[in-house]
Amino acid sequence: MIDGLSALFALMVFPGFGFLFVCALAFQWIDRWAVARLQGRIGPPWFQPLADFVKLMAKEDTLPTGAHELACAVLPVVSLAAVLTASLYIPVAGRAVSAFEGDLIVVLFLLSIPALTYFLAGWFSVGVYSIIGGNRSLLQYFAYEVPFLMALTSPAILSGSWSISHIAVQQSQTVWMVLVQPLGFLLAVVGLIGKLKRPPFDIPKAKSEVVAGPLTEFSGRKLALWHLTLDIQMVIGIFLVVNVFLGGSSPGTIYPVSSLGAIPAAMAFGAKALVVLLLLSVSSVLYARLRIDQLANIGWRVLAPLALAQILATILIGAG
Amino acid sequence: MLKEPLSFLLTVEGERVVDSVLRLGYVHRGLERLCQERNYVQNLHLVERVCGICSHIHTTTYCQGVEALLGLEVPLRALYLRALLCELERIHSHLLWLGVLAENAGFTTIFMYAWRDREIALDIMDELSGGRVAHAVNILGGVRIDVGEASVASSLMRLDELERRIEVFLGVIQHERTFRARTRNVGHLSAEQVRRYCVVGPVARASGADVDVRRDAPYAAYDRLRFKVITSNEGDVWARALVRTLEAVESVHLCRQLLTELPDGPLSVRAPRRVPPGEVVSRGEAPRGELVYYIRSDGSDKPARIKIRTPTLATLITLPDQLRGVNTADVPVVLAGVDLCISCADR
């Protein structure tokens, strides 16, 4: 009974849905505030993401004639479910809902489901912009996913474990992965930018070219769920990078995490997540948007070979 | 991205544009016809509203034409002030355009910075004329405003700041890799195409055509000023960005000359209401290129015909050529590259 209650608490409140929902809104606001300040603007008030969500939930939900109604209703829910399931295995401040050997692979697999549902959303909500955006999102997926996966595999090889929780704890006893594999960290962040479809990789939803890409025809509750999915994807993407490269919740390089109190662990974890978030915000204002063929070029000619080189270096040097 | 109505029907194959059909006329207000029913003074108000961004050059070119029909000699101080507002308007237009191009290429940061810095030019125009965008400075026979010592000093200070900020954009255009990646070799026009389509303005100058009405047929005070005509040989959107930004720098230099060399004298001469019969062609260099006014009078106080050939109309024609074979992602960049002013084109 108590097990059931604590499991329910972990799933619904912390570090589950409730916490992720609040984090999604908070991270979105920090990102919008940082981008605004960098662009010489002021930024929205703190409750703007919440207000946007509530407004969308109350708006009329329409789809164009010819759209596949059932698919369009199911896709945002499937996407959100995949992302929340992935969050089960990502430790927050040292605490994950569940962990097992190999959960890194499961998380990466679950995190690639939103890319597929994004494309399907464009496909099923028939509309010129939706379909063009969907096609671009698939092309983009292939360009960033391979370097992203390879970049996240190297720390696993180095620490000899395929469990995220284990990789995070390991770093508190040795060194942060980012110091050993700075290239992998950079590639993981670039891959994350592509995954989250943030500028300069916001090609599928380029406002000046395809209105809103695959989500053009969505509105109301469905769109609210889509935005929530994308925001929570950002949160757990950042958490994943923090756990795998920045040592999870350990505040120093050689400091056993088990002897940390809960509050310092949470603060360390939060600070690192904020740093990665600000890295994402700054990178989104620095560049013009790339074209899809330019992104495919960079993905396959630059990122993938670098990630491959990183893995080879890890295997050769790590084994020696 | 500017909220002006224009319809493009694009035929695409995947990401490539195969063909395009252009539709205009959504903001056709029949201004040329309306001008025939109002007298020359009332038409000043109408003609200023052909375009929002280049309102001053429209009234300048119109006034020049009517003053030529009347045989008036506009005082030198008025000519200098007219040219001053023309150049300030050019800076404002080019900075606005740079922001639009950046936004269409996904570079929102430059859009925000360019439109913030354009406020400096708007502030100068506001202080000098009382209006940020619609200045209503010209009257038949001269100008309505005067510029005092304090305004000259504060404007010069603001111009220094403006020049510093425009240098930043120059750096971005010349060195920023993603901006170059989006604008290089996009929307290419050869010198031959420019000649064939009679393209004018920065689009023509970016393809090597050395044309500028300010130098070729000087009006206002331009025969007494020293400035460079900026050209480039590349012919793509990047070249147009470079040409326009360098032109903005030249305009700052011109404004400094105009403010520091402002001659004393009256601001206007009295213009009679009735215009003797005749016809005149008046030209000016709007931010987007050569603006032509043909005015025919029949001896009354209302014009018999005013025909306006705006520069956008000349550059629009090249768009189907530019868009053939281009990526869908390049379409907004190409459209922004020709600096369309649809209200000018439609009148």
PDB file of all heavy atoms in Angstrom, chain B residues 185-197 199-200 203-204 206-208 232-237 239-240 314-315 317-323 334 338:
ATOM      1  N   ASN B 185      24.301  33.391 -53.387  1.00  0.00           N
ATOM      2  CA  ASN B 185      23.850  32.623 -54.545  1.00  0.00           C
ATOM      3  C   ASN B 185      22.358  32.322 -54.511  1.00  0.00           C
ATOM      4  O   ASN B 185      21.917  31.347 -55.104  1.00  0.00           O
ATOM      5  CB  ASN B 185      24.627  31.306 -54.659  1.00  0.00           C
ATOM      6  CG  ASN B 185      26.101  31.561 -54.826  1.00  0.00           C
ATOM      7  OD1 ASN B 185      26.505  32.451 -55.549  1.00  0.00           O
ATOM      8  ND2 ASN B 185      26.908  30.802 -54.119  1.00  0.00           N
ATOM      9  N   VAL B 186      21.612  33.156 -53.839  1.00  0.00           N
ATOM     10  CA  VAL B 186      20.156  33.008 -53.805  1.00  0.00           C
ATOM     11  C   VAL B 186      19.559  34.187 -54.537  1.00  0.00           C
ATOM     12  O   VAL B 186      19.958  35.317 -54.328  1.00  0.00           O
ATOM     13  CB  VAL B 186      19.668  32.976 -52.337  1.00  0.00           C
ATOM     14  CG1 VAL B 186      18.177  33.164 -52.273  1.00  0.00           C
ATOM     15  CG2 VAL B 186      20.055  31.675 -51.687  1.00  0.00           C
ATOM     16  N   GLY B 187      18.590  33.935 -55.417  1.00  0.00           N
ATOM     17  CA  GLY B 187      17.937  35.023 -56.127  1.00  0.00           C
ATOM     18  C   GLY B 187      18.876  35.776 -57.049  1.00  0.00           C
ATOM     19  O   GLY B 187      18.871  36.994 -57.100  1.00  0.00           O
ATOM     20  N   HIS B 188      19.659  35.050 -57.805  1.00  0.00           N
ATOM     21  CA  HIS B 188      20.683  35.699 -58.625  1.00  0.00           C
ATOM     22  C   HIS B 188      20.079  36.371 -59.847  1.00  0.00           C
ATOM     23  O   HIS B 188      19.230  35.816 -60.530  1.00  0.00           O
ATOM     24  CB  HIS B 188      21.714  34.652 -59.064  1.00  0.00           C
ATOM     25  CG  HIS B 188      22.896  35.258 -59.713  1.00  0.00           C
ATOM     26  ND1 HIS B 188      23.025  35.368 -61.077  1.00  0.00           N
ATOM     27  CD2 HIS B 188      23.997  35.827 -59.196  1.00  0.00           C
ATOM     28  CE1 HIS B 188      24.160  35.962 -61.356  1.00  0.00           C
ATOM     29  NE2 HIS B 188      24.779  36.251 -60.238  1.00  0.00           N
ATOM     30  N   LEU B 189      20.507  37.596 -60.098  1.00  0.00           N
ATOM     31  CA  LEU B 189      20.126  38.317 -61.319  1.00  0.00           C
ATOM     32  C   LEU B 189      21.391  38.736 -62.020  1.00  0.00           C
ATOM     33  O   LEU B 189      22.247  39.392 -61.435  1.00  0.00           O
ATOM     34  CB  LEU B 189      19.316  39.566 -60.978  1.00  0.00           C
ATOM     35  CG  LEU B 189      17.813  39.443 -60.736  1.00  0.00           C
ATOM     36  CD1 LEU B 189      17.246  40.802 -60.421  1.00  0.00           C
ATOM     37  CD2 LEU B 189      17.116  38.840 -61.926  1.00  0.00           C
ATOM     38  N   SER B 190      21.498  38.389 -63.310  1.00  0.00           N
ATOM     39  CA  SER B 190      22.693  38.796 -64.052  1.00  0.00           C
ATOM     40  C   SER B 190      22.527  40.231 -64.516  1.00  0.00           C
ATOM     41  O   SER B 190      21.421  40.784 -64.553  1.00  0.00           O
ATOM     42  CB  SER B 190      22.901  37.873 -65.240  1.00  0.00           C
ATOM     43  OG  SER B 190      21.847  38.067 -66.156  1.00  0.00           O
ATOM     44  N   ALA B 191      23.634  40.836 -64.934  1.00  0.00           N
ATOM     45  CA  ALA B 191      23.584  42.205 -65.431  1.00  0.00           C
ATOM     46  C   ALA B 191      22.698  42.282 -66.673  1.00  0.00           C
ATOM     47  O   ALA B 191      21.995  43.274 -66.906  1.00  0.00           O
ATOM     48  CB  ALA B 191      24.996  42.690 -65.753  1.00  0.00           C
ATOM     49  N   GLU B 192      22.708  41.202 -67.470  1.00  0.00           N
ATOM     50  CA  GLU B 192      21.887  41.157 -68.687  1.00  0.00           C
ATOM     51  C   GLU B 192      20.402  41.173 -68.335  1.00  0.00           C
ATOM     52  O   GLU B 192      19.612  41.902 -68.930  1.00  0.00           O
ATOM     53  CB  GLU B 192      22.257  39.885 -69.469  1.00  0.00           C
ATOM     54  CG  GLU B 192      21.305  39.519 -70.577  1.00  0.00           C
ATOM     55  CD  GLU B 192      21.224  40.582 -71.627  1.00  0.00           C
ATOM     56  OE1 GLU B 192      22.239  41.272 -71.853  1.00  0.00           O
ATOM     57  OE2 GLU B 192      20.138  40.746 -72.217  1.00  0.00           O
ATOM     58  N   GLN B 193      20.022  40.377 -67.312  1.00  0.00           N
ATOM     59  CA  GLN B 193      18.616  40.363 -66.900  1.00  0.00           C
ATOM     60  C   GLN B 193      18.204  41.720 -66.376  1.00  0.00           C
ATOM     61  O   GLN B 193      17.097  42.202 -66.634  1.00  0.00           O
ATOM     62  CB  GLN B 193      18.404  39.311 -65.800  1.00  0.00           C
ATOM     63  CG  GLN B 193      18.301  37.908 -66.311  1.00  0.00           C
ATOM     64  CD  GLN B 193      18.302  36.916 -65.155  1.00  0.00           C
ATOM     65  OE1 GLN B 193      19.222  36.853 -64.371  1.00  0.00           O
ATOM     66  NE2 GLN B 193      17.250  36.138 -65.070  1.00  0.00           N
ATOM     67  N   VAL B 194      19.093  42.358 -65.619  1.00  0.00           N
ATOM     68  CA  VAL B 194      18.784  43.665 -65.058  1.00  0.00           C
ATOM     69  C   VAL B 194      18.530  44.672 -66.164  1.00  0.00           C
ATOM     70  O   VAL B 194      17.596  45.479 -66.102  1.00  0.00           O
ATOM     71  CB  VAL B 194      19.948  44.106 -64.136  1.00  0.00           C
ATOM     72  CG1 VAL B 194      19.967  45.596 -63.971  1.00  0.00           C
ATOM     73  CG2 VAL B 194      19.822  43.436 -62.787  1.00  0.00           C
ATOM     74  N   ARG B 195      19.337  44.590 -67.197  1.00  0.00           N
ATOM     75  CA  ARG B 195      19.146  45.522 -68.315  1.00  0.00           C
ATOM     76  C   ARG B 195      17.855  45.232 -69.051  1.00  0.00           C
ATOM     77  O   ARG B 195      17.104  46.135 -69.396  1.00  0.00           O
ATOM     78  CB  ARG B 195      20.336  45.403 -69.273  1.00  0.00           C
ATOM     79  CG  ARG B 195      20.831  46.727 -69.817  1.00  0.00           C
ATOM     80  CD  ARG B 195      22.109  46.550 -70.583  1.00  0.00           C
ATOM     81  NE  ARG B 195      22.139  45.316 -71.344  1.00  0.00           N
ATOM     82  CZ  ARG B 195      21.575  45.144 -72.541  1.00  0.00           C
ATOM     83  NH1 ARG B 195      20.939  46.161 -73.109  1.00  0.00           N
ATOM     84  NH2 ARG B 195      21.644  43.983 -73.148  1.00  0.00           N
ATOM     85  N   ARG B 196      17.582  43.937 -69.262  1.00  0.00           N
ATOM     86  CA  ARG B 196      16.406  43.555 -70.044  1.00  0.00           C
ATOM     87  C   ARG B 196      15.109  43.955 -69.328  1.00  0.00           C
ATOM     88  O   ARG B 196      14.163  44.419 -69.934  1.00  0.00           O
ATOM     89  CB  ARG B 196      16.438  42.056 -70.302  1.00  0.00           C
ATOM     90  CG  ARG B 196      15.646  41.657 -71.521  1.00  0.00           C
ATOM     91  CD  ARG B 196      16.087  40.304 -72.082  1.00  0.00           C
ATOM     92  NE  ARG B 196      16.630  39.377 -71.112  1.00  0.00           N
ATOM     93  CZ  ARG B 196      15.922  38.396 -70.535  1.00  0.00           C
ATOM     94  NH1 ARG B 196      14.652  38.243 -70.800  1.00  0.00           N
ATOM     95  NH2 ARG B 196      16.513  37.593 -69.674  1.00  0.00           N
ATOM     96  N   TYR B 197      15.068  43.747 -67.999  1.00  0.00           N
ATOM     97  CA  TYR B 197      13.847  44.039 -67.266  1.00  0.00           C
ATOM     98  C   TYR B 197      13.769  45.485 -66.802  1.00  0.00           C
ATOM     99  O   TYR B 197      12.808  45.877 -66.171  1.00  0.00           O
ATOM    100  CB  TYR B 197      13.756  43.131 -66.029  1.00  0.00           C
ATOM    101  CG  TYR B 197      13.364  41.713 -66.326  1.00  0.00           C
ATOM    102  CD1 TYR B 197      14.232  40.663 -66.056  1.00  0.00           C
ATOM    103  CD2 TYR B 197      12.126  41.411 -66.853  1.00  0.00           C
ATOM    104  CE1 TYR B 197      13.872  39.358 -66.310  1.00  0.00           C
ATOM    105  CE2 TYR B 197      11.756  40.104 -67.100  1.00  0.00           C
ATOM    106  CZ  TYR B 197      12.633  39.086 -66.827  1.00  0.00           C
ATOM    107  OH  TYR B 197      12.268  37.786 -67.057  1.00  0.00           O
ATOM    108  N   VAL B 199      15.430  46.945 -64.429  1.00  0.00           N
ATOM    109  CA  VAL B 199      15.420  46.977 -62.970  1.00  0.00           C
ATOM    110  C   VAL B 199      16.137  48.238 -62.504  1.00  0.00           C
ATOM    111  O   VAL B 199      17.055  48.720 -63.158  1.00  0.00           O
ATOM    112  CB  VAL B 199      16.139  45.728 -62.413  1.00  0.00           C
ATOM    113  CG1 VAL B 199      16.134  45.744 -60.908  1.00  0.00           C
ATOM    114  CG2 VAL B 199      15.485  44.483 -62.933  1.00  0.00           C
ATOM    115  N   VAL B 200      15.692  48.794 -61.382  1.00  0.00           N
ATOM    116  CA  VAL B 200      16.303  50.013 -60.860  1.00  0.00           C
ATOM    117  C   VAL B 200      16.704  49.805 -59.410  1.00  0.00           C
ATOM    118  O   VAL B 200      16.331  48.818 -58.786  1.00  0.00           O
ATOM    119  CB  VAL B 200      15.323  51.203 -60.953  1.00  0.00           C
ATOM    120  CG1 VAL B 200      15.082  51.571 -62.386  1.00  0.00           C
ATOM    121  CG2 VAL B 200      14.038  50.881 -60.240  1.00  0.00           C
ATOM    122  N   VAL B 203      18.714  46.793 -56.248  1.00  0.00           N
ATOM    123  CA  VAL B 203      18.727  45.485 -56.911  1.00  0.00           C
ATOM    124  C   VAL B 203      19.564  45.555 -58.171  1.00  0.00           C
ATOM    125  O   VAL B 203      20.367  44.664 -58.473  1.00  0.00           O
ATOM    126  CB  VAL B 203      17.291  45.015 -57.231  1.00  0.00           C
ATOM    127  CG1 VAL B 203      17.318  43.683 -57.946  1.00  0.00           C
ATOM    128  CG2 VAL B 203      16.476  44.910 -55.963  1.00  0.00           C
ATOM    129  N   ALA B 204      19.402  46.642 -58.935  1.00  0.00           N
ATOM    130  CA  ALA B 204      20.202  46.801 -60.156  1.00  0.00           C
ATOM    131  C   ALA B 204      21.663  47.034 -59.809  1.00  0.00           C
ATOM    132  O   ALA B 204      22.564  46.465 -60.420  1.00  0.00           O
ATOM    133  CB  ALA B 204      19.655  47.965 -60.982  1.00  0.00           C
ATOM    134  N   ALA B 206      23.262  46.058 -57.277  1.00  0.00           N
ATOM    135  CA  ALA B 206      23.908  44.851 -56.762  1.00  0.00           C
ATOM    136  C   ALA B 206      24.290  43.894 -57.870  1.00  0.00           C
ATOM    137  O   ALA B 206      25.050  42.953 -57.634  1.00  0.00           O
ATOM    138  CB  ALA B 206      22.981  44.145 -55.768  1.00  0.00           C
ATOM    139  N   SER B 207      23.754  44.090 -59.078  1.00  0.00           N
ATOM    140  CA  SER B 207      24.149  43.243 -60.211  1.00  0.00           C
ATOM    141  C   SER B 207      25.092  43.977 -61.138  1.00  0.00           C
ATOM    142  O   SER B 207      25.274  43.588 -62.282  1.00  0.00           O
ATOM    143  CB  SER B 207      22.904  42.791 -60.978  1.00  0.00           C
ATOM    144  OG  SER B 207      22.134  41.930 -60.201  1.00  0.00           O
ATOM    145  N   GLY B 208      25.652  45.081 -60.670  1.00  0.00           N
ATOM    146  CA  GLY B 208      26.686  45.758 -61.442  1.00  0.00           C
ATOM    147  C   GLY B 208      26.227  46.985 -62.196  1.00  0.00           C
ATOM    148  O   GLY B 208      27.066  47.699 -62.750  1.00  0.00           O
ATOM    149  N   SER B 232      27.834  46.369 -56.711  1.00  0.00           N
ATOM    150  CA  SER B 232      28.470  45.090 -56.439  1.00  0.00           C
ATOM    151  C   SER B 232      28.296  44.246 -57.683  1.00  0.00           C
ATOM    152  O   SER B 232      27.432  44.520 -58.505  1.00  0.00           O
ATOM    153  CB  SER B 232      27.808  44.431 -55.235  1.00  0.00           C
ATOM    154  OG  SER B 232      28.121  43.062 -55.216  1.00  0.00           O
ATOM    155  N   ASN B 233      29.133  43.241 -57.847  1.00  0.00           N
ATOM    156  CA  ASN B 233      29.025  42.420 -59.048  1.00  0.00           C
ATOM    157  C   ASN B 233      28.392  41.063 -58.796  1.00  0.00           C
ATOM    158  O   ASN B 233      28.213  40.285 -59.708  1.00  0.00           O
ATOM    159  CB  ASN B 233      30.417  42.209 -59.661  1.00  0.00           C
ATOM    160  CG  ASN B 233      30.833  43.413 -60.463  1.00  0.00           C
ATOM    161  OD1 ASN B 233      30.003  44.034 -61.125  1.00  0.00           O
ATOM    162  ND2 ASN B 233      32.108  43.765 -60.394  1.00  0.00           N
ATOM    163  N   GLU B 234      28.051  40.766 -57.511  1.00  0.00           N
ATOM    164  CA  GLU B 234      27.620  39.411 -57.203  1.00  0.00           C
ATOM    165  C   GLU B 234      26.200  39.137 -57.644  1.00  0.00           C
ATOM    166  O   GLU B 234      25.861  38.039 -58.055  1.00  0.00           O
ATOM    167  CB  GLU B 234      27.739  39.162 -55.692  1.00  0.00           C
ATOM    168  CG  GLU B 234      29.113  39.445 -55.164  1.00  0.00           C
ATOM    169  CD  GLU B 234      30.124  38.425 -55.656  1.00  0.00           C
ATOM    170  OE1 GLU B 234      29.707  37.335 -56.048  1.00  0.00           O
ATOM    171  OE2 GLU B 234      31.330  38.745 -55.659  1.00  0.00           O
ATOM    172  N   GLY B 235      25.291  40.101 -57.498  1.00  0.00           N
ATOM    173  CA  GLY B 235      23.950  39.921 -58.035  1.00  0.00           C
ATOM    174  C   GLY B 235      23.012  39.034 -57.239  1.00  0.00           C
ATOM    175  O   GLY B 235      21.922  38.722 -57.688  1.00  0.00           O
ATOM    176  N   ASP B 236      23.393  38.618 -56.034  1.00  0.00           N
ATOM    177  CA  ASP B 236      22.485  37.786 -55.245  1.00  0.00           C
ATOM    178  C   ASP B 236      21.962  38.586 -54.061  1.00  0.00           C
ATOM    179  O   ASP B 236      22.257  39.772 -53.932  1.00  0.00           O
ATOM    180  CB  ASP B 236      23.201  36.510 -54.772  1.00  0.00           C
ATOM    181  CG  ASP B 236      24.532  36.822 -54.116  1.00  0.00           C
ATOM    182  OD1 ASP B 236      24.773  37.988 -53.750  1.00  0.00           O
ATOM    183  OD2 ASP B 236      25.335  35.890 -53.950  1.00  0.00           O
ATOM    184  N   VAL B 237      21.165  37.930 -53.230  1.00  0.00           N
ATOM    185  CA  VAL B 237      20.541  38.652 -52.120  1.00  0.00           C
ATOM    186  C   VAL B 237      21.608  39.208 -51.186  1.00  0.00           C
ATOM    187  O   VAL B 237      21.468  40.306 -50.639  1.00  0.00           O
ATOM    188  CB  VAL B 237      19.572  37.720 -51.353  1.00  0.00           C
ATOM    189  CG1 VAL B 237      19.035  38.397 -50.119  1.00  0.00           C
ATOM    190  CG2 VAL B 237      18.434  37.314 -52.261  1.00  0.00           C
ATOM    191  N   ALA B 239      24.516  40.360 -52.019  1.00  0.00           N
ATOM    192  CA  ALA B 239      25.038  41.593 -52.597  1.00  0.00           C
ATOM    193  C   ALA B 239      24.076  42.743 -52.343  1.00  0.00           C
ATOM    194  O   ALA B 239      24.480  43.875 -52.058  1.00  0.00           O
ATOM    195  CB  ALA B 239      25.270  41.417 -54.090  1.00  0.00           C
ATOM    196  N   ARG B 240      22.753  42.448 -52.450  1.00  0.00           N
ATOM    197  CA  ARG B 240      21.774  43.502 -52.202  1.00  0.00           C
ATOM    198  C   ARG B 240      21.841  43.967 -50.751  1.00  0.00           C
ATOM    199  O   ARG B 240      21.701  45.160 -50.472  1.00  0.00           O
ATOM    200  CB  ARG B 240      20.370  43.007 -52.525  1.00  0.00           C
ATOM    201  CG  ARG B 240      20.174  42.838 -54.004  1.00  0.00           C
ATOM    202  CD  ARG B 240      18.948  42.026 -54.351  1.00  0.00           C
ATOM    203  NE  ARG B 240      19.219  41.370 -55.622  1.00  0.00           N
ATOM    204  CZ  ARG B 240      18.595  40.285 -56.041  1.00  0.00           C
ATOM    205  NH1 ARG B 240      17.660  39.735 -55.307  1.00  0.00           N
ATOM    206  NH2 ARG B 240      18.909  39.755 -57.196  1.00  0.00           N
ATOM    207  N   ALA B 314       9.200  47.925 -61.150  1.00  0.00           N
ATOM    208  CA  ALA B 314      10.244  47.471 -62.063  1.00  0.00           C
ATOM    209  C   ALA B 314      10.944  46.227 -61.540  1.00  0.00           C
ATOM    210  O   ALA B 314      11.307  45.346 -62.309  1.00  0.00           O
ATOM    211  CB  ALA B 314      11.254  48.604 -62.295  1.00  0.00           C
ATOM    212  N   THR B 315      11.147  46.131 -60.221  1.00  0.00           N
ATOM    213  CA  THR B 315      11.898  44.991 -59.698  1.00  0.00           C
ATOM    214  C   THR B 315      11.029  43.760 -59.530  1.00  0.00           C
ATOM    215  O   THR B 315      11.508  42.632 -59.604  1.00  0.00           O
ATOM    216  CB  THR B 315      12.535  45.332 -58.341  1.00  0.00           C
ATOM    217  OG1 THR B 315      11.617  46.110 -57.585  1.00  0.00           O
ATOM    218  CG2 THR B 315      13.810  46.101 -58.516  1.00  0.00           C
ATOM    219  N   ILE B 317       8.987  42.452 -61.525  1.00  0.00           N
ATOM    220  CA  ILE B 317       8.892  41.641 -62.735  1.00  0.00           C
ATOM    221  C   ILE B 317       9.932  40.536 -62.754  1.00  0.00           C
ATOM    222  O   ILE B 317       9.741  39.510 -63.390  1.00  0.00           O
ATOM    223  CB  ILE B 317       9.094  42.558 -63.974  1.00  0.00           C
ATOM    224  CG1 ILE B 317       8.220  43.807 -63.844  1.00  0.00           C
ATOM    225  CG2 ILE B 317       8.773  41.823 -65.244  1.00  0.00           C
ATOM    226  CD1 ILE B 317       6.757  43.554 -63.954  1.00  0.00           C
ATOM    227  N   THR B 318      11.030  40.740 -62.058  1.00  0.00           N
ATOM    228  CA  THR B 318      12.103  39.735 -62.099  1.00  0.00           C
ATOM    229  C   THR B 318      11.839  38.566 -61.179  1.00  0.00           C
ATOM    230  O   THR B 318      12.564  37.585 -61.198  1.00  0.00           O
ATOM    231  CB  THR B 318      13.433  40.365 -61.671  1.00  0.00           C
ATOM    232  OG1 THR B 318      13.304  40.804 -60.317  1.00  0.00           O
ATOM    233  CG2 THR B 318      13.785  41.526 -62.556  1.00  0.00           C
ATOM    234  N   LEU B 319      10.797  38.668 -60.333  1.00  0.00           N
ATOM    235  CA  LEU B 319      10.629  37.633 -59.319  1.00  0.00           C
ATOM    236  C   LEU B 319      10.395  36.229 -59.873  1.00  0.00           C
ATOM    237  O   LEU B 319      11.011  35.282 -59.385  1.00  0.00           O
ATOM    238  CB  LEU B 319       9.501  38.013 -58.346  1.00  0.00           C
ATOM    239  CG  LEU B 319       9.984  38.910 -57.222  1.00  0.00           C
ATOM    240  CD1 LEU B 319       8.830  39.349 -56.355  1.00  0.00           C
ATOM    241  CD2 LEU B 319      11.016  38.189 -56.368  1.00  0.00           C
ATOM    242  N   PRO B 320       9.522  36.035 -60.874  1.00  0.00           N
ATOM    243  CA  PRO B 320       9.386  34.660 -61.389  1.00  0.00           C
ATOM    244  C   PRO B 320      10.725  34.089 -61.857  1.00  0.00           C
ATOM    245  O   PRO B 320      11.003  32.911 -61.615  1.00  0.00           O
ATOM    246  CB  PRO B 320       8.408  34.819 -62.554  1.00  0.00           C
ATOM    247  CG  PRO B 320       7.598  36.001 -62.185  1.00  0.00           C
ATOM    248  CD  PRO B 320       8.525  36.925 -61.481  1.00  0.00           C
ATOM    249  N   ASP B 321      11.553  34.918 -62.476  1.00  0.00           N
ATOM    250  CA  ASP B 321      12.880  34.435 -62.872  1.00  0.00           C
ATOM    251  C   ASP B 321      13.715  34.049 -61.674  1.00  0.00           C
ATOM    252  O   ASP B 321      14.399  33.028 -61.654  1.00  0.00           O
ATOM    253  CB  ASP B 321      13.610  35.552 -63.646  1.00  0.00           C
ATOM    254  CG  ASP B 321      13.548  35.318 -65.143  1.00  0.00           C
ATOM    255  OD1 ASP B 321      12.849  34.373 -65.557  1.00  0.00           O
ATOM    256  OD2 ASP B 321      14.194  36.069 -65.876  1.00  0.00           O
ATOM    257  N   GLN B 322      13.683  34.883 -60.643  1.00  0.00           N
ATOM    258  CA  GLN B 322      14.520  34.623 -59.472  1.00  0.00           C
ATOM    259  C   GLN B 322      14.064  33.390 -58.724  1.00  0.00           C
ATOM    260  O   GLN B 322      14.849  32.702 -58.090  1.00  0.00           O
ATOM    261  CB  GLN B 322      14.470  35.811 -58.511  1.00  0.00           C
ATOM    262  CG  GLN B 322      15.254  37.010 -58.961  1.00  0.00           C
ATOM    263  CD  GLN B 322      15.290  38.054 -57.868  1.00  0.00           C
ATOM    264  OE1 GLN B 322      15.573  37.755 -56.727  1.00  0.00           O
ATOM    265  NE2 GLN B 322      14.977  39.281 -58.226  1.00  0.00           N
ATOM    266  N   LEU B 323      12.743  33.128 -58.772  1.00  0.00           N
ATOM    267  CA  LEU B 323      12.230  32.049 -57.947  1.00  0.00           C
ATOM    268  C   LEU B 323      12.309  30.688 -58.636  1.00  0.00           C
ATOM    269  O   LEU B 323      12.074  29.670 -58.003  1.00  0.00           O
ATOM    270  CB  LEU B 323      10.765  32.317 -57.588  1.00  0.00           C
ATOM    271  CG  LEU B 323      10.537  33.407 -56.561  1.00  0.00           C
ATOM    272  CD1 LEU B 323       9.057  33.653 -56.390  1.00  0.00           C
ATOM    273  CD2 LEU B 323      11.139  33.008 -55.230  1.00  0.00           C
ATOM    274  N   VAL B 334      14.288  35.441 -51.001  1.00  0.00           N
ATOM    275  CA  VAL B 334      14.288  36.108 -52.307  1.00  0.00           C
ATOM    276  C   VAL B 334      13.278  37.246 -52.320  1.00  0.00           C
ATOM    277  O   VAL B 334      13.558  38.356 -52.792  1.00  0.00           O
ATOM    278  CB  VAL B 334      13.955  35.089 -53.417  1.00  0.00           C
ATOM    279  CG1 VAL B 334      13.619  35.796 -54.698  1.00  0.00           C
ATOM    280  CG2 VAL B 334      15.109  34.153 -53.628  1.00  0.00           C
ATOM    281  N   VAL B 338      14.285  41.659 -52.815  1.00  0.00           N
ATOM    282  CA  VAL B 338      13.962  42.728 -53.758  1.00  0.00           C
ATOM    283  C   VAL B 338      13.287  43.901 -53.069  1.00  0.00           C
ATOM    284  O   VAL B 338      12.931  44.869 -53.729  1.00  0.00           O
ATOM    285  CB  VAL B 338      13.071  42.233 -54.914  1.00  0.00           C
ATOM    286  CG1 VAL B 338      13.822  41.284 -55.783  1.00  0.00           C
ATOM    287  CG2 VAL B 338      11.808  41.623 -54.407  1.00  0.00           C
TER     288      VAL B 338
END
